[in-house]
């Protein structure tokens, strides 16, 4: 018997696809919507190969209110939403701020407007550690100050959290779990799904693995003059499967009538690791060298941030468990599988 029907927006994307797998494996029915602007419909095949279940798939943009209304009309009985649909590159957002504000905020508003009329109980919102800006103290807790965003992307996350909070405060009969997560990396151990951005990767790991396999000449590490032990930025890198499982836990809380209307959790490992350390760990874990150079700092980047995940550990009942070396081996296995398939 199904535990419920969950709408996963951006569900053929990196985090969305892995979360769809964990939801299906946990007994939920899944409906995916994605405009395929940074993913492929083939991902649905990968989800089916892993789980043995093919989720319902709708191609369309949640930034269009008519598409969202039609989705709910054609897929009645959705219990909760997990919203991954968004433009997400920090650097690009600095260059194209209006695109980011229009897309990311319209998507959320369109979903919120359809929830109560369609009996949707709650929404898990994909937020980010970028809301903390450049923190005064690390690790950051959920009570750490929300700083002025260093990029339009980060600002869309801050504004989105405020929109959700205001909607619930106004009396909307909905609940929300906001997950502020840190830097997801890796891929499914099966190598059936993984991170595959269209064009030149904006994120570190796909660029790293593409460099390691020879598709890119070299990896540029942006900045080696930060106030960190080796001069490179420090982040909290979390395995994609661990992150996906946090979303399943969040759905469980949304569907539990006894939980609060709105909750916020940091989803990270609690360990800060520099970009240089990550590259070194990849080389040690895989035995593959990654040609790299140091480049100028990238506008919008934060020097260092990592999570205090105690609240998620104790209240959400979730904990990051996958060793970093295993995560990086899975990322490399995915890159090798792409080459086998002639994709890249």
């Amino acid at each position: 018997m199904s535990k419920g029907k969950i709408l996963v927006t951006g569900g053929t994307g990196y985090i969305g696809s892995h979360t769809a797998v964990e939801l299906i494996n946990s007994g939920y029915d899944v409906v995916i919507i994605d405009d395929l602007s940074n993913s492929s419909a083939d991902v649905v095949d990968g989800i089916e190969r892993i789980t043995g279940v093919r989720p319902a798939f709708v191609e369309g943009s949640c930034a269009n209110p008519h598409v969202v209304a039609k989705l709910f009309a054609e897929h009645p009985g959705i219990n909760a939403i997990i919203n991954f649909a968004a433009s997400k590159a920090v650097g690009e957002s600095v260059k194209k701020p209006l695109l980011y504000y229009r897309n990311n905020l319209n998507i959320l508003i369109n979903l919120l407007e359809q929830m109560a009329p369609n009996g949707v109980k709650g929404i898990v919102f994909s937020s980010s550690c970028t809301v903390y800006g450049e923190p005064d103290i690390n690790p950051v807790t959920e009570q750490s100050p929300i700083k002025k965003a260093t990029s339009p992307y980060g600002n869309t996350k801050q504004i989105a959290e405020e929109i959700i909070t205001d909607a619930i405060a106004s009396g909307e009969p909905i609940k929300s779990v906001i997950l502020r997560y840190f830097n997801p990396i890796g891929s499914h151990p099966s190598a059936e799904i993984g991170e595959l951005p269209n064009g030149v990767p904006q994120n570190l790991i796909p660029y790293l693995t593409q460099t390691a396999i020879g598709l890119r000449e070299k990896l540029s590490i942006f900045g080696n003059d930060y106030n960190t032990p080796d001069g490179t930025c420090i982040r909290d890198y979390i395995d994609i499967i661990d992150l996906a499982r946090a979303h399943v836990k969040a759905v469980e809380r949304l569907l539990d009538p006894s939980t609060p209307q709105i909750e916020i959790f940091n989803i990270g490992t609690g360990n800060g690791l520099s970009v240089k350390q990550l590259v070194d760990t990849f080389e040690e874990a895989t035995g593959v060298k990654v040609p790299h150079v140091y480049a100028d700092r990238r506008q919008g980047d934060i020097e260092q941030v990592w999570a205090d995940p105690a609240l998620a550990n104790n209240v959400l009942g979730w904990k990051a468990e996958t060793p970093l070396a295993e995560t990086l081996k899975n990322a490399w296995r995915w890159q090798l599988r792409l080459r086998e398939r002639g994709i890249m």
Side-chain angles (χ1 to χ4, degrees):
M1 184 176 175
S2 171
K3 290 183 178 179
K5 185 186 287 189
I6 311 301
L7 172 63
V8 182
T9 72
T12 60
Y14 177 43
I15 306 175
S17 60
H18 288 81
T19 299
V21 165
E22 296 306 313
L23 286 167
I24 292 168
N25 286 341
S26 298
Y28 293 94
D29 293 329
V30 172
V31 178
I32 288 172
I33 182 169
D34 202 301
D35 66 1
L36 305 180
S37 60
N38 197 34
S39 61
S40 166
D42 294 342
V43 172
V44 180
D45 298 331
I47 294 170
E48 183 178 16
R49 285 193 292 269
I50 295 169
T51 64
V53 176
R54 190 171 187 84
F57 172 65
V58 176
E59 182 178 349
S61 171
C62 291
N64 184 329
H66 304 295
V67 169
V68 177
K70 184 180 178 185
L71 169 71
F72 281 100
E74 294 180 350
H75 295 273
I78 290 170
N79 301 107
I81 301 167
I82 305 180
N83 180 31
F84 295 111
S87 303
K88 64 183 183 66
V90 169
E92 183 185 52
S93 78
V94 174
K95 298 175 181 175
K96 301 178 180 179
L98 297 183
L99 182 151
Y100 273 68
Y101 287 118
R102 180 186 299 112
N103 193 52
N104 294 3
L105 299 180
N106 281 346
I107 286 170
L108 177 61
I109 291 167
N110 292 339
L111 292 170
L112 290 172
E113 287 180 336
Q114 289 293 333
M115 286 178 67
N118 289 285
V120 182
K121 295 182 175 67
I123 183 168
V124 180
F125 180 67
S126 165
S127 192
S128 167
C129 63
T130 57
V131 302
Y132 299 115
E134 192 75 64
D136 297 324
I137 300 173
N138 279 297
V140 291
T141 71
E142 291 79 1
Q143 284 71 47
S144 294
I146 301 299
K147 295 289 196 70
K148 178 176 171 55
T150 59
S151 70
Y153 164 75
N155 202 25
T156 67
K157 294 300 184 183
Q158 291 185 5
I159 295 169
E161 288 193 11
E162 293 171 354
I163 290 171
I164 293 169
T165 302
D166 289 345
I168 290 174
S170 75
E172 285 288 322
I174 59 174
K175 297 167 72 170
S176 182
V177 174
I178 295 171
L179 300 182
R180 292 174 180 162
Y181 41 81
F182 287 66
N183 290 62
I185 60 172
S187 72
H188 195 273
S190 67
E192 291 289 354
I193 57 174
E195 189 169 11
L196 182 59
N198 293 337
V200 178
Q202 299 286 334
N203 290 345
L204 173 60
I205 290 299
Y207 205 107
L208 184 153
T209 59
Q210 288 182 21
T211 303
I213 209 166
L215 288 169
R216 308 285 170 191
E217 181 184 355
K218 58 184 178 293
L219 171 72
S220 293
I221 297 176
F222 297 106
N224 65 342
D225 57 351
Y226 286 100
N227 185 27
T228 61
D230 62 20
T232 65
C233 290
I234 292 176
R235 295 290 184 269
D236 188 334
Y237 296 98
I238 180 171
D239 185 86
I240 187 64
I241 303 297
D242 287 338
L243 177 58
R245 288 173 178 160
H247 291 81
V248 178
K249 290 286 189 182
V251 165
E252 290 172 359
R253 285 190 72 79
L254 283 179
L255 300 182
D256 179 349
S258 68
T259 56
Q261 263 195 293
I262 185 165
E263 294 180 293
I264 298 174
F265 298 100
N266 282 340
I267 305 297
T269 67
N271 299 311
L273 196 75
S274 77
V275 176
K276 180 64 167 61
Q277 286 175 311
L278 188 74
V279 173
D280 291 344
T281 305
F282 176 87
E283 292 183 339
E284 292 166 9
T286 64
V288 180
K289 290 296 181 184
V290 182
H292 58 273
V293 296
Y294 294 104
D296 291 340
R297 294 186 183 192
R298 185 171 55 180
Q299 190 176 3
D301 275 349
I302 293 165
E303 181 174 273
Q304 50 187 315
V305 62
W306 65 93
D308 179 344
L311 194 66
N313 298 165
N314 298 328
V315 177
L316 196 59
W318 169 90
K319 188 174 183 180
E321 298 176 340
T322 309
L324 179 63
E326 182 179 334
T327 300
L328 294 171
K329 285 178 183 177
N330 287 336
W332 181 235
R333 190 176 297 119
W334 167 244
Q335 185 68 63
L336 293 172
R337 177 64 64 86
L338 291 174
R339 169 155 286 184
E340 287 174 12
R341 293 176 178 171
I343 296 173
M344 95 170 16

